[in-house]
Amino acid sequence: MEQNIRQRLVGAGVLLALGVIFLSWLYEPAAQRGSAKRIPEPPPMPDVPAFIASEQAHAEQVDIEATAANRYQMPEPEPEVKVAPKPQLQSSGVPRTWALQMGVFANRDNANALVAKLRGLGYKSYSRHWVREGGQEVDGVYVGPMVDRADLMPLQKKLKGQVKLEGVVVRYHP
């Protein structure tokens, strides 16, 4: 029996709460029911006392003067300094260097003519004589040497336009 009374009391409380909610909604004026409430205008700003206004004007003047003074005193940024890469050393302690091989010639006169042409254009060039495995004597023509291999890439493109030969980057052997 206690269970029955408890359920009735809970039910009555729920119905009473719902009644209060719905009755307050029914008695609300119809003009306010679906419309948004208007936000009131903010109150006017109070007058700033004279001593505070003069301090603000003085602070603004100091800011203007500081900006004008700093405009002419700003140092110019220093240009970035490119540091040359540290050369890698071979096992003998000599720096590893690179050269641009412009061609290999069986005729020594052709090799000498290309060396002379490259020197005339202002490049450090030289030729090296060796014998191939089959016994054929050849002369290779080189430009360089340079420590950084990346420095030879623009030079390779430039020489291709000047002498119409596409060189190959190779290790320099003194």
Side-chain angles (χ1 to χ4, degrees):
M1 179 93 167
E2 280 185 35
Q3 182 77 3
N4 197 9
I5 294 174
R6 192 179 310 152
Q7 287 177 352
R8 286 182 183 219
L9 286 176
V10 169
V14 170
L15 286 175
L16 183 65
L18 287 173
V20 168
I21 292 171
F22 284 118
L23 286 177
S24 67
W25 181 72
L26 287 175
Y27 287 110
E28 184 178 344
Q32 295 180 359
R33 218 175 267 164
S35 65
K37 295 191 175 23
R38 200 172 85 92
I39 299 174
E41 294 293 323
M45 291 294 292
D47 293 333
V48 178
F51 69 93
I52 294 177
S54 66
E55 288 295 321
Q56 286 177 341
H58 178 69
E60 289 174 1
Q61 183 63 29
V62 169
D63 287 344
I64 292 170
E65 290 173 2
T67 303
N70 288 337
R71 182 178 320 147
Y72 300 107
Q73 295 177 358
M74 293 295 292
E76 293 193 22
E78 296 180 16
E80 290 186 26
V81 178
K82 185 177 180 184
V83 178
K86 186 175 181 181
Q88 297 176 348
L89 299 180
Q90 298 177 4
S91 61
S92 61
V94 177
R96 182 182 298 169
T97 54
W98 304 89
L100 190 61
Q101 183 181 21
M102 296 305 295
V104 177
F105 299 92
N107 186 344
R108 182 170 273 180
D109 294 335
N110 290 343
N112 291 337
L114 181 57
V115 168
K117 183 175 182 180
L118 290 168
R119 286 183 182 166
L121 291 171
Y123 298 106
K124 292 188 240 176
S125 63
Y126 62 96
S127 66
R128 173 166 286 144
H129 182 77
W130 75 88
V131 179
R132 287 188 172 169
E133 288 182 13
Q136 181 185 15
E137 294 186 18
V138 293
D139 286 283
V141 177
Y142 302 90
V143 174
M146 292 187 179
V147 175
D148 191 10
R149 184 177 184 173
D151 290 342
L152 287 172
M153 299 305 167
L155 181 64
Q156 183 180 20
K157 291 178 183 176
K158 188 175 179 182
L159 282 171
K160 184 177 181 182
Q162 289 179 336
V163 292
K164 308 294 187 251
L165 292 174
E166 186 169 344
V168 178
V169 177
V170 294
R171 289 276 307 273
Y172 173 72
H173 299 285

